[in-house]
Amino acid sequence: MSVIVLAGMIGAGKSTYTNFISRELNSQAFYESVDDNPLLEKFYDDPVRWAFSLQIFFLNTRFRSIKAALRHRHNVLDRSIYEDELFTRINFMQGNMSQAEMDLYTDLLANMMEEIAGMPKKAPDLLIYLRGPLETHLDRIRKRGRPYEQVEGDPGLLDYYKILHNHYDDWFKSYDQSPTLVINIDQFDLEQEEDQKAVMAMVRDKLKEIGAD
């Protein structure tokens, strides 16, 4: 039994990998709330007005998800609380949030992490980082077609994606809650059977290595 969390920039394919890995491991999948998120589209339209509210919404839902996952102990999450602060800090860096809002967010996150640390299972068994060049992420964002995510005619949104992408490797280097596995998203196509086998071989080998298979 194992708890696996996916991490990666917008457009990395986290939901696709979550669905595939959870199916192969016969475990439960936890998905980030997008379609029923009342704030996400508002944020893209007016980030200064909605950044703090959106990050609190995500923090709350990701906190609920990781608690449920650590209790269930056999599942895959398509995004987790562990990378949540990265998005918040980028919004702060871009002037979308005030110092007071950033301080409040940081305090709330610290309280939540303390509660997680007090649970019988305190952390995931494995984090899988889906890593790729910015161009691949932008291409996937374009293909999935959510209007509010598109960069055409919106240089501010493109800057947001660039800054976020530039900081992801630093975030990953600082992550210390569990063992990790990096998957190059340009190297594998989960629609291809051979690539499916290769990805699952990597995942199973890593789980065996850390004693979580």
Side-chain angles (χ1 to χ4, degrees), residues 33-61 91 148:
S33 177
V34 173
D35 293 337
D36 60 348
N37 185 329
L39 301 173
L40 189 57
E41 192 167 352
K42 292 180 180 180
F43 163 76
Y44 279 97
D45 184 59
D46 188 352
V48 174
R49 168 66 180 84
W50 294 104
F52 178 69
S53 298
L54 177 67
Q55 292 307 146
I56 293 300
F57 176 89
F58 276 136
L59 182 62
N60 187 47
T61 55
N91 272 302
Y148 53 84

Side-chain angles (χ1 to χ4, degrees), residues 12 18 53 77 111 118 122 143 178 192:
T18 295
S53 298
L77 289 82
N111 281 337
K122 306 177 188 307
K143 286 179 178 177
S178 71
Q192 303 299 318

Side-chain angles (χ1 to χ4, degrees), residues 167-182:
H167 282 79
Y168 244 101
D169 280 355
D170 289 337
W171 167 81
F172 178 66
K173 291 174 185 175
S174 70
Y175 174 81
D176 60 0
Q177 298 295 314
S178 71
T180 61
L181 172 66
V182 178

Side-chain angles (χ1 to χ4, degrees), residues 99-119:
Q99 183 67 60
E101 289 172 329
M102 187 69 213
D103 290 345
L104 176 56
Y105 170 89
T106 302
D107 190 45
L108 284 170
L109 177 60
N111 281 337
M112 291 176 174
M113 295 305 290
E114 284 182 11
E115 183 168 338
I116 293 171
M119 296 180 64

Side-chain angles (χ1 to χ4, degrees), residues 118-193:
M119 296 180 64
K121 185 177 181 68
K122 306 177 188 307
D125 297 288
L126 178 65
L127 179 136
I128 299 175
Y129 176 29
L130 301 179
R131 187 177 187 273
L134 178 63
E135 292 72 19
T136 298
H137 293 279
L138 293 177
D139 184 56
R140 293 183 176 188
I141 289 169
R142 184 165 50 250
K143 286 179 178 177
R144 74 182 177 190
R146 293 175 188 156
Y148 53 84
E149 290 183 339
Q150 306 308 310
V151 300
E152 287 75 13
D154 191 346
L157 182 56
L158 180 58
D159 287 342
Y160 172 70
Y161 289 153
K162 286 179 178 178
I163 295 171
L164 183 61
H165 185 268
N166 286 341
H167 282 79
Y168 244 101
D169 280 355
D170 289 337
W171 167 81
F172 178 66
K173 291 174 185 175
S174 70
Y175 174 81
D176 60 0
Q177 298 295 314
S178 71
T180 61
L181 172 66
V182 178
I183 294 179
N184 184 336
I185 60 174
D186 270 355
Q187 188 175 347
F188 302 101
D189 178 0
L190 288 187
E191 294 184 1
Q192 303 299 318
E193 185 177 352

